[in-house]
Amino acid sequence: MKYEKLADVYQTLENTTKRLEKTHLVAQFLKTADDPAVIILVQGRVFPNWDQRELGMANKLVVKAIALASGASTEKLGGLWKETGDLGKTAEKLMQKKSQSSLFSSALTVKKVFDNLHKIAELEGSGSVERKVQLVAELLTSAKPIEAKYIVRTVLGELRVGLGDGTIRDALIWAFFGKEAGITYDEKEKEVTIPDREVYENYSTLVQEAFDATNDFAEVFELLREKGAKGLEHVEVKPGKPVKVMLFQKAKTIAEGLETVGTPAAAEYKYDGFRLQIHKTNGKITLFTRRLENVTEQFPDVVEMVKKHVGAGRFIMDSEVAGIDKKTKKYLAFQSISQRIKRKYDIHELAEKFPVEVNVFDIINYDGKSLLKTPFEERREILENIVDSLPLAFKLSEKILVKSEAEADAFYKKSLLSGNEGIMLKNLHSVYKPGSRVGFGVKVKPTMDTLEVVITGAEWGEGKRGKWLASFMIGVRNEDDEIVEIGRVGTGIKEKEEEGLSFGQLTKLLLPDITEEKGREVKVKPKIVIEVNYEEIQKSPTYSSGYALRFPRLVRMREDRGINDINTLADVQELAEGQRGRGSQ
Ligand code: ATP
């Protein structure tokens, strides 16, 4: 397939903000597409969602590639860049000039673009920087000006056509089941008609579940192309490839929790750490965080423990890793181990200093067989057979069977006394639903609500804080996967110095991701996730979410969270509705 077709789609997407129009456009495009790579590229990605690799090409290298392909001088290129504020447009303009003078340029294919971008990610070591530049330049040389614009933006991870996972899912449904569901799209009014909602919802669930299990739209797309709906019925989770974790709902009280999950129920300690998905296949152990980031290298101690304490060759397990103080044998707060997640150096030293206990609570693949549909009780039984528990190292989560509120209540108190966050109550017969916040399990904990938000911008400080970013714009995700702002936070950071967090530190983290600077205000790529508490949520026209947090305060950095894990606008609305009276307490 020609890359030009994809470039056309990008262009049309760029010119509309209407989700239905985008869905229709992508659905039409997918119907004609013969390369699964398009569904990855159309979102501005190079890899499927589960694959965290990055191209590692900053502006400077892309500038070199454009110069090489266009023959433009550094001054000219720099000037154009300044004028347009966009390297994609800069490449487009320069290639326009070039293509006027050259008669022939070969037609670029989606495959060629995809292959070159993949090669870039694999390059390492000496000479790799030059080679990366060459690979991009090679694409630009055979690109039409409009193609050059989108290649550059894709390489920089700044395509910004606003295609969230929800839109891609819907586009797949429209493309493959549009006829059966009787979907019609009115091009003029840009309206859609769905005659039978139920049929539509069934397909929607099917596609969403396949995506949640594979985290790979290209795989879902391939299955649909090969076998239609049948292809999606047996999607399996495979060791080695991370799966979106199942999430739980919150219950205000134990009674409410038991009502949701039914009795008898499993009650487990809720450890205050971070979620870790443990994979083993072909003798290789891989560890993923909840945001599906591969952290195997950061946790050599856990890898050793898995080898020692699990008697199985192929599996995917779900666990919570908590920090422990080996001397007092007590749990440590999450902050103490959170720094281990991102650490790239002195890893063994840090592992010694901040040891962890792994608490395994679920298994979703055993011996290569998917257990997504196996009842929880049976999954736990498998775990009991293969995990050799050792406290303060690697063990099964503490669990009892509760039949009454009184039993659960006593267990809750015991859990809190042992330094845990609360308890989990789980339905014994439930399946495992990747990526869903379902009522198969609930958490009960006493702490107040916090929000996980992403930093979208900041303001340079004043006076002695002049060299630091001091006030941070924060946002949540709306239903179209866009980030909408909800307030500014500057409070709580000074108190975190002991945990190694400071304005200086945050400034350093955000500096490489600044995309715009106006006076003292900067905008940053939304990447850094923090947890904040607040006094109240108010309706407010000041921020794009329509809400504002009153007195937000930073609670902690969330290194284990990515932009897909942050709270949604729907969460904020729900919290706002449920908080009556909270502000005046
Ligand atoms: P929170 O911030 O309250 O941990 P969350 O959004 O990370 O919530 P939820 O699914 O809402 O995730 O709450 C359950 C979380 O508690 C799990 O994601 C997991 O990280 C953690 N956890 C600790 N102990 C257990 C356990 N025994 N079973 C399941 N989850 C546990």
Side-chain angles (χ1 to χ4, degrees):
M1 177 171 225
K2 284 194 184 146
Y3 186 71
E4 198 177 0
K5 279 197 167 176
L6 190 56
D8 277 347
V9 173
Y10 290 141
Q11 208 168 13
T12 324
L13 284 171
E14 231 183 315
N15 291 329
T16 175
T17 52
K18 293 203 175 69
R19 181 167 168 175
L20 291 178
E21 196 180 347
K22 288 184 178 182
T23 313
H24 172 68
L25 182 71
V26 176
Q28 292 302 102
F29 174 58
L30 291 179
K31 277 191 203 168
T32 63
D34 55 6
D35 185 338
V38 295
I39 201 164
I40 307 275
L41 286 173
V42 77
Q43 273 190 299
R45 292 176 170 276
V46 179
F47 301 102
N49 295 51
W50 66 269
D51 191 334
Q52 300 279 320
R53 274 178 294 168
E54 283 184 5
L55 296 190
M57 288 200 62
N59 287 339
K60 224 169 77 190
L61 295 188
V62 176
V63 165
K64 274 193 185 162
I66 301 173
L68 203 63
S70 66
S73 65
T74 328
E75 291 79 50
K76 190 165 173 200
L77 205 160
L80 255 179
W81 184 13
K82 209 162 185 191
E83 193 185 304
T84 57
D86 176 341
L87 270 180
K89 278 196 190 137
T90 307
E92 184 183 14
K93 289 207 164 158
L94 289 172
M95 295 317 286
Q96 254 157 12
K97 294 219 170 89
K98 173 129 192 259
S99 63
Q100 280 160 8
S101 57
S102 70
L103 283 173
F104 175 76
S105 83
S106 66
L108 204 52
T109 61
V110 164
K111 185 170 183 312
K112 175 73 186 163
V113 174
F114 202 61
D115 286 352
N116 271 30
L117 297 182
H118 274 235
K119 276 186 204 153
I120 290 173
E122 271 146 36
L123 289 169
E124 268 177 28
S126 75
S128 63
V129 171
E130 288 76 24
R131 185 77 192 112
K132 282 182 180 188
V133 171
Q134 276 167 7
L135 283 164
V136 177
E138 190 192 349
L139 292 178
L140 295 179
T141 309
S142 20
K144 302 211 165 70
I146 186 81
E147 295 176 325
K149 171 164 118 184
Y150 294 114
I151 290 169
V152 163
R153 289 189 182 165
T154 305
V155 169
L156 290 171
E158 287 171 7
L159 191 67
R160 283 190 240 122
V161 288
L163 275 189
D165 293 345
T167 311
I168 297 288
R169 177 203 56 213
D170 291 350
L172 278 171
I173 302 167
W174 293 22
F176 287 91
F177 308 115
K179 260 208 194 118
E180 277 149 281
I183 301 169
T184 47
Y185 180 77
D186 184 336
E187 302 248 6
K188 225 164 146 205
E189 298 296 324
K190 311 212 181 307
E191 298 269 347
V192 69
T193 320
I194 299 172
D196 192 337
R197 270 273 151 200
E198 208 179 311
V199 174
Y200 184 84
E201 290 303 330
N202 285 344
Y203 285 125
S204 177
T205 310
L206 195 66
V207 176
Q208 182 68 44
E209 284 185 359
F211 174 61
D212 287 338
T214 57
N215 272 301
D216 189 340
F217 275 125
E219 192 175 334
V220 178
F221 183 39
E222 269 303 76
L223 286 169
L224 280 169
R225 281 196 332 143
E226 279 166 18
K227 299 191 197 129
K230 274 221 146 24
L232 302 192
E233 276 163 19
H234 303 287
V235 169
E236 300 237 311
V237 291
K238 297 180 201 100
K241 212 169 151 188
V243 184
K244 275 195 205 165
V245 298
M246 176 163 78
L247 294 168
F248 303 92
Q249 287 173 357
K250 191 171 174 195
K252 285 197 196 75
T253 60
I254 299 234
E256 187 190 297
L258 287 177
E259 183 127 330
T260 308
V261 301
T263 45
E268 295 180 27
Y269 281 179
K270 183 180 191 305
Y271 302 92
D272 183 17
F274 67 93
R275 190 111 175 220
L276 192 73
Q277 200 172 77
I278 307 171
H279 291 239
K280 187 172 180 186
T281 181
N282 298 327
K284 201 171 140 211
I285 291 158
T286 335
L287 311 173
F288 298 99
T289 61
R290 163 178 158 152
R291 56 181 290 205
L292 313 184
E293 192 176 3
N294 188 330
V295 288
T296 316
E297 284 190 11
Q298 281 82 340
F299 292 92
D301 44 342
V302 173
V303 171
E304 281 312 304
M305 289 193 252
V306 177
K307 278 188 199 155
K308 224 160 124 187
H309 295 276
V310 187
R314 286 191 85 192
F315 55 81
I316 306 175
M317 284 179 181
D318 206 347
S319 74
E320 182 83 357
V321 174
I324 41 163
D325 184 326
K326 284 235 159 146
K327 266 196 218 127
T328 60
K329 302 198 170 27
K330 287 219 164 89
Y331 288 115
L332 296 174
F334 168 76
Q335 290 91 307
S336 64
I337 51 163
S338 68
Q339 50 182 306
R340 288 197 55 186
I341 297 171
K342 288 255 174 304
R343 188 61 86 96
K344 296 265 167 356
Y345 57 93
D346 291 343
I347 284 171
H348 286 273
E349 233 168 63
L350 209 67
E352 279 282 305
K353 201 162 155 204
F354 298 107
V356 295
E357 178 186 77
V358 182
N359 293 281
V360 182
F361 58 78
D362 218 325
I363 179 161
I364 53 179
N365 182 297
Y366 174 52
D367 236 357
K369 184 175 167 280
S370 168
L371 300 178
L372 292 181
K373 302 257 155 69
T374 308
F376 172 64
E377 212 172 11
E378 286 174 37
R379 299 202 302 274
R380 175 81 191 195
E381 219 173 281
I382 296 174
L383 277 179
E384 310 229 340
N385 285 330
I386 59 175
V387 174
D388 173 22
S389 283
L390 179 68
L392 299 177
F394 192 95
K395 64 182 197 40
L396 290 183
S397 58
E398 201 71 33
K399 173 202 150 241
I400 62 164
L401 202 69
V402 292
K403 291 191 208 69
S404 66
E405 194 182 329
E407 277 174 0
D409 209 40
F411 188 69
Y412 179 64
K413 294 206 173 88
K414 197 171 143 205
S415 179
L416 291 180
L417 272 177
S418 314
N420 300 306
E421 245 191 336
I423 57 169
M424 306 296 301
L425 293 170
K426 298 181 182 176
N427 176 295
L428 298 177
H429 315 291
S430 63
V431 298
Y432 190 104
K433 268 204 180 226
S436 305
R437 195 174 278 286
V438 281
F440 300 156
V442 296
K443 53 184 177 189
V444 191
K445 57 179 191 178
T447 45
M448 66 185 285
D449 291 322
T450 56
L451 280 174
E452 271 141 26
V453 295
V454 69
I455 299 182
T456 61
E459 198 182 20
W460 290 103
E462 282 181 297
K464 66 178 183 358
R465 283 190 191 165
K467 39 183 207 310
W468 300 329
L469 293 168
S471 157
F472 304 90
M473 186 71 95
I474 50 179
V476 293
R477 214 154 36 94
N478 72 9
E479 60 172 3
D480 289 334
D481 276 343
E482 294 154 348
I483 304 296
V484 285
E485 283 155 356
I486 192 177
R488 278 179 180 281
V489 60
T491 321
I493 297 157
K494 225 171 68 200
E495 292 83 345
K496 300 273 163 199
E497 297 226 327
E498 258 176 38
E499 289 161 24
L501 184 68
S502 59
F503 286 105
Q505 191 78 20
L506 267 173
T507 306
K508 220 165 104 192
L509 271 176
L510 293 168
L511 265 187
D513 291 324
I514 292 181
T515 52
E516 234 181 280
E517 201 151 0
K518 228 187 241 157
R520 280 174 42 219
E521 291 280 337
V522 304
K523 285 208 167 104
V524 296
K525 266 194 211 167
K527 267 187 176 169
I528 305 287
V529 178
I530 60 174
E531 186 174 337
V532 295
N533 65 23
Y534 51 88
E535 208 134 276
E536 200 185 1
I537 301 175
Q538 296 173 324
K539 285 215 162 131
S540 156
T542 315
Y543 300 108
S544 52
S545 66
Y547 288 92
L549 299 183
R550 207 165 146 239
F551 301 129
R553 162 180 286 271
L554 183 132
V555 180
R556 56 191 180 180
M557 299 292 292
R558 293 304 313 222
E559 286 89 345
D560 59 331
R561 302 288 156 100
I563 190 162
N564 290 326
D565 308 311
I566 63 174
N567 279 106
T568 59
L569 186 56
D571 296 337
V572 172
Q573 276 154 350
E574 203 183 310
L575 285 166
E577 276 158 27
Q579 69 184 358
R580 233 157 283 145
R582 176 176 163 166
S584 54
Q585 277 165 15

